Amino acid sequence: MTGPVLKLQPPDVAAFAPYGDLVLPPEEPGARRFYSTALHARGETSAPVLHVNNVAPQALPLAVTRIERHPFAAQCFFPLDVSRYAVMVMPSDTEGRPLPDRALAFLMPGTIGVIFNPGVWHLGATVLDRPGHFTVLMWRGGPMQDDDFRTIAPLTLIDPMDPLAGA
């Protein structure tokens, strides 16, 4: 394994909150959960873009060397046909550079979606086990580019059941 090792954690609404929202189904039949407030941060001249992607599976342990962020709008991933997927997030320093030493990683089931807040550094769509499909919603357009990709020193994501994960 290369670089620091991050054990994938189970989904945790509180731990993820500084980076966005986990999209959970309501517990009661007929109930709704609203996530609309996450959609309001965007450029005035941007427009919503909705697409479905097809993601090839990756295996754990996974060396991560590339991350992304969208400074001006939230990005939403809703699993359509996904077994499990890895989510990694990290804060920025005061200059907007990623802080890999403060990264968090989660092992998500295909029943929970993710909304990344504007400006959050994150791993791109990464499915495990088999190919997967997400519906992705974000905003594009306007005078400012909203895709920022960075190469980072390798971080290794491991399965929580991996013996190297420790206690």
Side-chain angles (χ1 to χ4, degrees), residues 1-5 63 154-156:
M1 289 186 231
T2 308
V5 174
L155 295 171
T156 301

Side-chain angles (χ1 to χ4, degrees), residues 39-138:
L39 309 179
H40 294 295
R42 60 184 176 81
E44 286 181 23
T45 60
S46 64
V49 175
L50 180 70
H51 68 269
V52 175
N53 62 13
N54 185 336
V55 183
Q58 301 291 316
L60 295 173
L62 176 67
V64 176
T65 58
R66 184 176 162 110
I67 56 172
E68 64 185 76
R69 72 174 177 168
H70 310 283
F72 307 109
Q75 186 178 44
C76 313
F77 285 87
F78 308 110
L80 283 180
D81 182 17
V82 173
S83 172
R84 303 180 302 160
Y85 65 108
V87 170
M88 185 184 75
V89 292
M90 63 185 68
S92 300
D93 66 14
T94 57
E95 302 296 318
R97 294 179 297 243
L99 294 170
D101 60 322
R102 296 191 32 215
L104 296 175
F106 301 91
L107 182 59
M108 305 296 290
T111 56
I112 296 176
V114 175
I115 302 173
F116 297 110
N117 287 338
V120 169
W121 290 102
H122 62 90
L123 177 64
T126 303
V127 299
L128 306 169
D129 307 320
R130 60 179 173 80
H133 302 89
F134 292 92
T135 296
V136 181
L137 173 64
M138 61 185 303

